[in-house]
Amino acid sequence: MTATPILELRGIDKSFGAVQVLHEVNFAAYPGEVTALVGDNGAGKSTLVKCIGGIHPIDSGEYLFDAEPVHVHSPRDAAALGVEIVYQDLALCDNLDIVQNMFLGREKRRGIVLDGGTMEEMAASTLKSLSVRTVKSVRQKVSSLSGGQRQTVAIAKAVLWNSRVVVLDEPTAALGVAQTAQVLELVRRLADNGLSVVLISHNMNDVFAVSDRIAALHLGRMAAQVKTSDLTHAQVVELITAGRSGDLGLADSNGATS
């Protein structure tokens, strides 16, 4: 039997003024799995992620967590549930070290003094739990890190807070072959540790390398969410570009329901 999704969206609509960006979108993210969210530019991926993260309120539909309806009105609400999003710009501060970045805005204190020892131990423990071996010291300045190491720190920062759903926005963009392999290995490890990982990517090789399911958006509608093993590269491209591949997908190429 299929496990219960940690995160599930049902019939999500989102408009900005007269422009409707999301149309009755259904989406599910399961524990221990990587779900790849794919779609062309303008398909609605960013809007859907910002609805998941509480940046954009949904107009209508249901947001469920552990099969229970919840209301997410802000990123703080999403974080309280255990939803963390790593955006493409990573939001890291070059002038701070790894520990300072991982606890930025959530610093541990002992009275009125920062508890640097505890934060350092927690940062090191989190990186170790993810089998990260490319970072020499948690007191390295982020400015000294490679692109792959920066991505690793951003992911570890998300995992640090007992997150259960981690959304990664194009984590391998602008990375070389070796660094991409390291990040994809880390993505897979997150899922193997029981987290639900949502991977946004345009790179079909990355998608097929690590994902368990693929959710394809087309013009603001969910064309299909299918096990990766049941799809070919060509089918995914057709779902992205036309919203349909054979018997799979939306009712017609315009995304209209029949």
Side-chain angles (χ1 to χ4, degrees), residues 47-244:
T47 300
L48 182 61
V49 167
K50 288 177 179 177
C51 287
I52 291 172
I55 294 174
H56 294 328
I58 60 176
D59 295 339
S60 60
E62 284 189 294
Y63 189 130
L64 293 93
F65 204 84
D66 283 336
E68 295 291 331
V70 294
H71 298 285
V72 176
H73 301 294
S74 69
R76 189 180 295 273
D77 291 342
L81 289 173
V83 177
E84 295 285 343
I85 300 176
V86 181
Y87 292 101
Q88 196 168 347
D89 62 7
L90 301 183
L92 297 176
C93 298
D94 282 356
N95 61 319
L96 301 180
D97 63 30
I98 292 172
V99 174
Q100 291 168 326
N101 267 282
M102 289 178 68
F103 284 88
L104 191 61
R106 299 176 175 178
E107 291 83 359
K108 296 290 183 183
R109 295 182 182 275
R110 185 173 293 164
I112 61 172
V113 179
L114 290 177
D115 189 351
T118 296
M119 289 190 288
E120 191 169 320
E121 287 177 13
M122 290 177 67
S125 176
T126 299
L127 289 168
K128 183 179 179 181
S129 73
L130 297 174
S131 300
V132 174
R133 293 177 291 273
T134 59
V135 176
K136 294 178 182 178
S137 167
V138 292
R139 286 301 181 183
Q140 275 183 268
K141 289 283 181 67
V142 163
S143 58
S144 71
L145 302 179
S146 68
Q149 289 172 324
R150 288 170 183 248
Q151 188 69 61
T152 296
V153 170
I155 293 172
K157 178 180 178 179
V159 174
L160 178 66
W161 304 105
N162 296 317
S163 54
R164 298 184 59 209
V165 177
V166 177
V167 182
L168 304 173
D169 186 6
E170 297 283 359
T172 61
L175 295 184
V177 175
Q179 292 180 342
T180 293
Q182 290 173 1
V183 171
L184 291 180
E185 183 182 339
L186 178 55
V187 170
R188 188 65 253 173
R189 200 175 297 124
L190 292 179
D192 291 344
N193 287 347
L195 276 70
S196 175
V197 182
V198 179
L199 172 69
I200 303 167
S201 181
H202 284 94
N203 189 314
M204 288 300 107
N205 290 328
D206 291 357
V207 166
F208 276 87
V210 298
S211 71
D212 299 286
R213 298 173 194 263
I214 296 175
L217 276 172
H218 177 70
L219 300 179
R221 299 178 188 273
M222 187 61 73
Q225 183 166 350
V226 187
K227 287 185 177 180
T228 305
S229 57
D230 293 337
L231 291 170
T232 65
H233 281 66
Q235 285 177 305
V236 176
V237 171
E238 288 178 351
L239 288 169
I240 291 171
T241 57
R244 188 168 182 81

